[in-house]
Amino acid sequence: MTDSQKKEIQMLLKTYIEQYPSQSKAIASLKNVSEATVINIRKGIWESISDDMWRNVGKQIGFSAKGTWKMVETVDFKTIVHYMEDAQEYSNVFAMIVPSGGGKTFTARWFQANRQNVYHIECSEYFNRKEFLRKILEAMGKENVGLNVSEMMEMIVSILMRQENPLLILDEVDKLPDPVLYFFITIYNKLYGKCGIVMMATEFLNKRIMRGRRMNKKGYAEIFSRIGRKFISVRGTTKEEVAEICKANGVSDAQIIHSIYNEYEGDLRRVERGVHKAKVRKLKKAA
């Protein structure tokens, strides 16, 4: 862990803390990181902080040893941000369909880092109801040890009801099992007009909801109604936008950009890997 990497983590940590109402709440959201460690990182007192701790903190706040990935405001990025802004300002609810690797998580993290009272939750298949609520509270920087499901839900609602223009971003919702997905109905009902909600997922969520409605499965018609009976889709990244991303991140050779575009298959992760591969190859040639 070099001094320049530590300085980058220090800057990212400052930005991370600013998105929370207080430093203590930001610290509470970090796993296995003490208040003393955060204070020492911010003050530049680094002698007692191990490389493992630097990596632990860095991973949780968006640091990458490959360097900071520079953002390009593609049409899809602007579209997702537009609906997040609308949801936050007017307490609206939207369901967005973004292809895998389409930049939804990157955009959600960016939006959370640049707005107040925004909580981004990345959903997983293993979530049960309690784990889902625990993740929301964790994003809020709240302790939830010993609370049951009902108490956790009431705590979440109480916090959001007192905040100005709160927003929940539920990422990869299509991964949630049905009993957890139904919680969206409860959250919507309790926070209607008080909190914006943006659900993001791949096309599988659209198919799942439509199939559930046809089969008259519990909760699916209610979920579809609460998202305005509409899924919002993005168009995908164009060749010109892929070129802009490559150039912003240090690859300007037209032939290499063309190769990266031909291999990216609509997945921006492949663009990032292609850029990284091109940079490594360039460094080896220069050595």
Side-chain angles (χ1 to χ4, degrees):
M1 184 68 65
T2 66
D3 282 349
S4 63
Q5 289 174 327
K6 291 177 182 179
K7 287 176 182 177
E8 185 176 347
I9 291 172
Q10 184 186 44
M11 292 174 62
L12 287 170
L13 182 60
K14 180 178 181 292
T15 302
Y16 181 85
I17 289 171
E18 286 173 351
Q19 69 185 276
Y20 286 87
S22 67
Q23 179 170 286
S24 61
K25 291 182 178 180
I27 293 169
S29 72
L30 296 171
K31 295 179 181 178
N32 303 318
V33 180
S34 69
E35 183 177 8
T37 296
V38 170
I39 291 171
N40 286 340
I41 288 175
R42 297 198 70 185
K43 288 184 175 180
I45 305 170
W46 300 344
E47 294 79 8
S48 63
I49 303 173
S50 69
D51 282 357
D52 284 344
M53 180 55 69
W54 279 105
R55 282 188 284 269
N56 177 36
V57 173
K59 183 178 180 181
Q60 295 184 65
I61 62 175
F63 170 77
S64 171
K66 294 185 292 185
T68 302
W69 184 254
K70 291 183 173 55
M71 181 189 71
V72 170
E73 293 191 12
T74 64
V75 170
D76 284 359
F77 174 87
K78 291 177 181 177
T79 300
I80 296 170
V81 167
H82 165 75
Y83 282 103
M84 288 179 177
E85 289 176 336
D86 188 290
Q88 183 173 24
E89 184 173 356
Y90 300 107
S91 300
N92 279 327
V93 177
F94 300 111
M96 302 199 70
I97 300 300
V98 184
S100 180
K104 61 183 182 299
T105 300
F106 178 90
T107 307
R109 289 173 178 167
W110 178 91
F111 195 82
Q112 178 182 247
N114 288 277
R115 298 291 191 280
Q116 292 289 327
N117 302 329
V118 176
Y119 307 105
H120 173 222
I121 295 89
E122 296 184 56
C123 303
S124 293
E125 296 91 340
Y126 67 84
F127 281 9
N128 56 27
R129 295 186 303 163
K130 192 166 186 177
E131 180 66 11
F132 176 63
L133 296 180
R134 189 186 72 78
K135 287 292 185 180
I136 296 177
L137 286 169
E138 184 180 278
M140 294 176 171
K142 295 295 182 181
E143 294 287 341
N144 51 78
V145 178
L147 299 181
N148 61 35
V149 168
S150 177
E151 291 168 336
M152 293 167 78
M153 177 65 82
E154 290 305 316
M155 186 176 183
I156 290 167
V157 171
S158 176
I159 292 168
L160 294 175
M161 291 282 280
R162 295 195 305 268
Q163 292 184 342
E164 182 179 0
N165 297 331
L167 175 67
L168 287 177
I169 303 173
L170 306 179
D171 194 358
E172 302 194 57
V173 177
D174 49 331
K175 293 182 177 180
L176 294 176
D178 279 358
V180 185
L181 187 60
Y182 299 151
F183 257 10
F184 166 73
I185 300 172
T186 304
I187 293 171
Y188 175 98
N189 290 345
K190 287 182 175 290
L191 293 170
Y192 177 73
K194 301 293 184 181
C195 177
I197 304 173
V198 174
M199 302 168 67
M200 297 197 301
T202 64
E203 176 62 24
F204 181 72
L205 179 65
N206 186 0
K207 294 177 180 178
R208 179 178 171 186
I209 296 296
M210 296 301 102
R211 184 171 63 248
R213 289 178 64 229
R214 288 194 302 271
M215 298 173 62
N216 199 28
K217 290 184 68 175
K218 171 187 172 183
Y220 278 79
E222 290 89 337
I223 292 171
F224 191 58
S225 172
R226 283 160 176 78
I227 61 173
R229 307 182 68 83
K230 180 182 179 181
F231 288 93
I232 299 158
S233 298
V234 297
R235 67 173 194 176
T237 310
T238 66
K239 184 175 183 179
E240 291 74 19
E241 288 172 335
V242 169
E244 287 179 30
I245 293 169
C246 291
K247 291 174 184 176
N249 287 281
V251 174
S252 57
D253 184 280
Q255 188 173 351
I256 294 174
I257 291 173
H258 181 72
S259 176
I260 289 172
Y261 176 77
N262 285 341
E263 295 176 3
Y264 106 108
E265 298 178 1
D267 189 334
L268 292 175
R269 296 187 190 95
R270 291 180 65 85
V271 174
E272 185 172 357
R273 288 173 187 153
V275 167
H276 174 68
K277 183 178 178 181
K279 286 182 174 180
V280 170
R281 190 183 297 120
K282 185 177 180 180
L283 286 171
K284 287 181 177 178
K285 284 183 178 179

